[in-house]
Amino acid sequence: MPLLSRALRAFVVVAEELHFGRAAIRLNISQPPLSQLIRQFEAEVGTELFVRSTRSVRLTQAGVVLLHRARRLIDDNDSTLRAVRRAGSGDAGRLAVGFVSTAAYRVLPGAIARYRAAYPDVELVLFEELTGVITDRLMSGTIDIAIFRRLPRAIEHDLIFERVHREKMVLAMPADHPYRDLDQVPMARLDGQAMVGFQREGSSYFNAVQTRLFRDHNVRPRIVYESVLPTLLALVEGGMGMALVPESAAGLRNSVVYRPLSGLPNAFDVDLYCARRPDNLNPTAQAFARILQQG
């Protein structure tokens, strides 16, 4: 019997019934094996626990003390087993999640809400960092799961990757920009235009995306400043220029106008991934990954 001996549990039932026949029925065994089990248990304990007669069974003083302590042991044992099973199934425990800031625009809020509703007893710890820092944390085991972008042609560690979101890049512009009257903006119209770009250091993924977009469409805008989201949109709102941003960022600044770009193939869609180490057996991470996949 898990954690606690079968004999100790049998002792408690006999002590509660003070009748070997009724106790045997509760334990679903016959009376002679029960009597033998209790005798063996008394020998192991080193003292008699029951005073037996042809008409009655009562506890000795040692039996009274043991009954009180045995009930606590059984309660603690059952609580421990429940906690272990909940942790093993992912219903309890601790989950550390690292994420890049753009994951918080659309993907993360809904995932957290669904996860907390399904697993309210899991301690959820969040870390917002750059992709490189998150990757290091994941590889060192500091976090269980990471939500980030994957750089094109980057050297990747041995991780389990699952795409959880795909979106397009859109053009953000000041409210008074002449392109606001267009339903879609061709990439060629960005040539020579003042634009706020992504920093290489702070936004390496989006810096690489915008560089590839401009190069493949033979566009040379005037990069007047480089920054990171959401500061980049504040500069657009201030009239410094336009910017390419992920669609999920649209709405961070209500006075900024957003327009789709025409003629972009799916190859320029930007993806968000969750990643786990293959040797991470924490069931809470697997449950969170499933919820992310559900969108």
Side-chain angles (χ1 to χ4, degrees), residues 175-216:
D176 59 353
H177 197 281
Y179 287 179
R180 71 185 185 279
D181 296 326
L182 299 176
D183 292 333
Q184 294 184 329
V185 181
M187 279 294 298
R189 298 288 292 270
L190 303 185
D191 193 57
Q193 293 291 315
M195 298 196 68
V196 182
F198 284 95
Q199 286 180 351
R200 181 187 297 272
E201 184 175 331
S203 291
S204 55
Y205 175 83
F206 287 111
N207 178 274
V209 169
Q210 74 175 13
T211 299
R212 189 159 58 96
L213 273 169
F214 294 150
R215 183 193 65 223
D216 289 4

Side-chain angles (χ1 to χ4, degrees), residues 5-282:
S5 73
R6 178 168 170 262
L8 182 62
R9 291 182 180 271
F11 159 75
V12 171
V13 174
V14 174
E16 290 174 346
E17 295 291 342
L18 293 178
H19 190 284
F20 277 83
R22 291 194 297 269
I25 293 172
R26 277 182 58 183
L27 292 167
N28 197 30
I29 60 175
S30 60
Q31 185 172 334
L34 176 59
S35 298
Q36 183 180 4
L37 180 62
I38 294 300
R39 288 290 188 192
Q40 291 172 346
F41 185 54
E42 288 176 317
E44 182 181 346
V45 173
T47 187
E48 289 189 346
L49 302 173
F50 296 99
V51 177
R52 302 163 178 84
S53 71
T54 56
R55 294 188 177 185
S56 67
V57 176
R58 59 187 177 86
L59 286 166
T60 65
Q61 185 58 37
V64 171
V65 172
L66 180 58
L67 177 60
H68 176 69
R69 292 176 179 266
R71 281 171 170 162
R72 289 193 310 183
L73 280 172
I74 290 173
D75 287 342
D76 290 344
N77 172 80
D78 292 343
S79 296
T80 300
L81 282 178
R82 285 194 298 270
V84 169
R85 287 166 182 158
R86 285 173 62 79
S89 65
D91 291 336
R94 181 180 184 273
L95 174 65
V97 178
F99 65 97
V100 294
S101 60
T102 53
Y105 298 155
R106 185 169 296 175
V107 173
L108 198 60
I112 289 176
R114 293 191 300 274
Y115 186 78
R116 289 180 66 84
Y119 302 97
D121 295 329
V122 174
E123 179 190 2
L124 187 60
V125 183
L126 302 175
F127 299 92
E128 180 183 356
E129 299 282 2
L130 298 178
T131 297
V133 177
I134 290 175
T135 303
D136 290 342
R137 281 182 175 268
L138 192 62
M139 297 308 298
S140 68
T142 307
I143 61 175
D144 299 295
I145 197 166
I147 308 172
F148 53 30
R149 312 279 179 177
R150 295 171 73 179
L151 281 169
R153 297 180 296 279
I155 298 174
E156 293 182 333
H157 300 275
D158 183 19
L159 297 170
I160 299 171
F161 288 98
E162 297 169 305
R163 188 174 68 195
V164 295
H165 185 65
R166 166 164 279 190
E167 60 186 318
K168 295 186 177 298
M169 298 293 284
V170 297
L171 185 65
M173 65 186 77
D176 59 353
H177 197 281
Y179 287 179
R180 71 185 185 279
D181 296 326
L182 299 176
D183 292 333
Q184 294 184 329
V185 181
M187 279 294 298
R189 298 288 292 270
L190 303 185
D191 193 57
Q193 293 291 315
M195 298 196 68
V196 182
F198 284 95
Q199 286 180 351
R200 181 187 297 272
E201 184 175 331
S203 291
S204 55
Y205 175 83
F206 287 111
N207 178 274
V209 169
Q210 74 175 13
T211 299
R212 189 159 58 96
L213 273 169
F214 294 150
R215 183 193 65 223
D216 289 4
H217 289 80
N218 198 27
V219 171
R220 295 183 179 180
R222 291 187 295 110
I223 304 297
V224 297
Y225 196 81
E226 291 186 334
S227 188
V228 298
L229 284 169
T231 304
L232 184 146
L233 285 173
L235 301 177
V236 172
E237 184 180 44
M240 290 194 68
M242 297 183 292
L244 297 174
V245 298
E247 190 177 12
S248 59
L252 291 180
R253 293 276 175 172
N254 292 331
S255 61
V256 172
V257 175
Y258 303 91
R259 292 290 181 267
L261 293 157
S262 62
L264 292 188
N266 290 339
F268 286 104
D269 289 352
V270 291
D271 297 325
L272 198 63
Y273 290 85
C274 73
R276 292 173 286 140
R277 283 174 47 154
D279 60 348
N280 185 335
L281 303 180
N282 186 348

